Amino acid sequence: MSIINAAITAVGGYLPEDKLTNADLEKLVDTNDEWITTRVGIKERRVLKDPTKGAAYLGVQAVQDLLSRSGIDPKTIDGLILTTNTGDHTFPTTASIVAHDTGCVNAFTFDLVSACPGFIYALETGANYIRSGRYKRVLVVAAEKMTAFVDYTDRATCPLFGDGAGCVLLEPTEEACGVMDASFHTDGIGRNNLILRAGGSVNPASHETVEARQHYIYQEGAAVFKHAVKGMSSSCRAIMERNGLADADVAWVVPHQANLRIIDAVAREMKVPMERVMVNIEYRGNTSSATIPLCLWEFEKKLHKGDNLILTSFGAGFTWGAVYVKWAYEPKH
Ligand code: UT7
């Protein structure tokens, strides 16, 4: 019996039009372009301003981009897995809204939550559906409206985050390409270092939680930074070793875009020059689980069949990991 691999056969993405620049932030909090640029590497981020639109709206645009560019009938999509930390509601799922609004009426749907690494978790999950042989087309979508949870009075977090969505289509192939390997890790030591402190079943919303500004992202940046470099570097190194990949075999590293200094440190640890590292943080900021598919979308034309990609991410929990993807197609024109 031949082995079924799960290949990425199309990508899609969406960024809202409104931009929030460092100059805009200088008017809101005690910060400056020089600090944000040198400490984080961000110049501007995209913002979905309309409060009536959330993560699902972003996800819908990204899926429509993929479907229209690939000419795929949404009725042929068997499954849609959506990862988000900023879903429209606690329930219903954001995946069910995106499937409905894009015409993916025959797809099973669910939300998958695993902080910023959510997309790489969802990619491996989607790949397993394909590998089972029972599903032919699975969409993996990451959609985040981070700015809905950003405190624009907190200079430590407000420069970091932006909004956006990216997605990929997984289909079966008998060729030796696609999602080749994955490695994930969790350590609850980070539980309080990066957290949305209220609005869940612990600390449900109340006047007090709103007054204490507990519905916004809280982050102890330095602690997260240290663990991020260590976690991303070690999982990349491990997945390369067990797949026999030397530094020179890696065509692209696709890292989570949280801080240019973290990306730089991981690339140095992997001995991969920055020319082979996907970076778009300067104009996108940190879109949480959407950073990696947005990179694939923006760099799609530079990717070639057979390229070895190492995707890696780190986030709240802590949770982190790496996925090895062998790219399945030449640039489409
Ligand atoms: O996506 C999920 C995973 N998240 C991450 O991976 C993020 C990891 N952490 C980081 O990227 C960095 O820790 C931050 C960008 C969040 C912060 O950078 P840092 O170099 O760790 O700065 P810090 O928090 O240690 O603060 C250094 C100084 C402080 O001043 P003092 O105490 O040294 O006088 C801060 O008050 O920088 C100050 N500071 C600012 N100054 C100007 C903090 N935020 C700002 C700001 N503008 N926006």
Side-chain angles (χ1 to χ4, degrees):
M1 214 173 76
S2 57
I3 290 173
I4 304 170
N5 284 317
I8 295 176
T9 56
V11 298
Y14 177 72
L15 291 159
E17 271 175 28
D18 283 313
K19 296 171 185 170
L20 184 69
T21 66
N22 290 351
D24 296 329
L25 286 169
E26 285 175 9
K27 293 178 200 141
L28 298 175
V29 288
D30 178 17
T31 190
N32 54 77
D33 175 56
E34 204 258 328
W35 190 94
I36 302 172
T37 305
T38 56
R39 304 303 295 170
V40 202
I42 303 175
K43 285 283 187 195
E44 66 182 39
R45 53 304 276 147
R46 297 298 181 94
V47 179
L48 178 59
K49 283 191 173 161
D50 184 343
T52 68
K53 291 183 172 135
Y57 172 83
L58 297 166
V60 167
Q61 310 308 309
V63 169
Q64 282 174 343
D65 175 61
L66 183 151
L67 294 173
S68 67
R69 288 196 300 127
S70 57
I72 284 172
D73 179 354
K75 292 192 190 69
T76 65
I77 302 294
D78 299 315
L80 187 154
I81 305 171
L82 186 138
T83 179
T84 186
N85 300 285
T86 55
D88 284 20
H89 314 283
T90 302
F91 55 86
T93 64
T94 302
S96 63
I97 300 170
V98 171
H100 176 268
D101 290 359
T102 54
C104 295
V105 290
N106 296 314
F108 70 80
T109 62
F110 61 91
D111 286 1
L112 183 155
V113 181
S114 190
C116 295
F119 176 77
I120 56 173
Y121 275 82
L123 187 64
E124 171 68 353
T125 306
N128 282 330
Y129 277 94
I130 296 292
R131 290 175 192 131
S132 77
R134 292 172 61 188
Y135 304 89
K136 302 286 179 237
R137 284 183 167 164
V138 175
L139 278 171
V140 180
V141 188
E144 301 279 12
K145 188 177 181 182
M146 297 304 290
T147 60
F149 299 92
V150 169
D151 182 351
Y152 286 100
T153 68
D154 175 15
R155 72 172 184 170
T157 53
C158 75
L160 307 177
F161 299 100
D163 302 332
C167 57
V168 300
L169 177 67
L170 292 170
E171 292 184 286
T173 178
E174 289 182 8
E175 289 184 49
C177 61
V179 182
M180 308 302 284
D181 195 9
S183 150
F184 302 113
H185 308 273
T186 305
D187 185 345
I189 193 175
R191 179 177 178 163
N192 294 314
N193 293 143
L194 180 48
I195 187 167
L196 204 71
R197 289 184 282 188
S201 53
V202 167
N203 290 332
S206 68
H207 289 294
E208 288 75 23
T209 61
V210 171
E211 269 161 32
R213 310 186 77 77
Q214 291 182 344
H215 297 269
Y216 293 120
I217 298 162
Y218 170 81
Q219 176 172 247
E220 288 160 12
V224 180
F225 189 107
K226 203 174 67 187
H227 284 93
V229 173
K230 206 168 142 223
M232 288 162 76
S233 302
S234 61
S235 51
C236 288
R237 189 49 66 202
I239 209 164
M240 284 165 64
E241 270 169 25
R242 76 183 188 202
N243 288 280
L245 296 172
D247 311 324
D249 298 326
V250 176
W252 291 97
V253 179
V254 193
H256 175 44
Q257 311 280 308
N259 187 317
L260 188 55
R261 288 185 296 135
I262 296 177
I263 296 171
D264 199 48
V266 171
R268 259 185 288 123
E269 164 64 27
M270 293 173 72
K271 299 194 182 65
V272 172
M274 285 301 276
E275 302 82 68
R276 289 195 272 131
V277 180
M278 291 191 193
V279 179
N280 64 6
I281 188 172
E282 192 175 3
Y283 296 102
R284 309 292 176 232
N286 181 348
T287 55
S288 189
S289 71
T291 60
I292 289 177
L294 276 172
C295 276
L296 296 176
W297 178 60
E298 295 198 272
F299 283 76
E300 185 190 16
K301 287 196 165 54
K302 295 190 175 181
L303 294 173
H304 294 280
K305 189 168 179 175
D307 279 356
N308 293 317
L309 276 57
I310 303 290
L311 285 45
T312 183
S313 187
F314 185 94
F318 297 124
T319 177
W320 68 95
V323 172
Y324 165 32
V325 171
K326 195 179 264 294
W327 202 247
Y329 61 91
E330 284 298 321
K332 298 168 183 171
H333 298 289

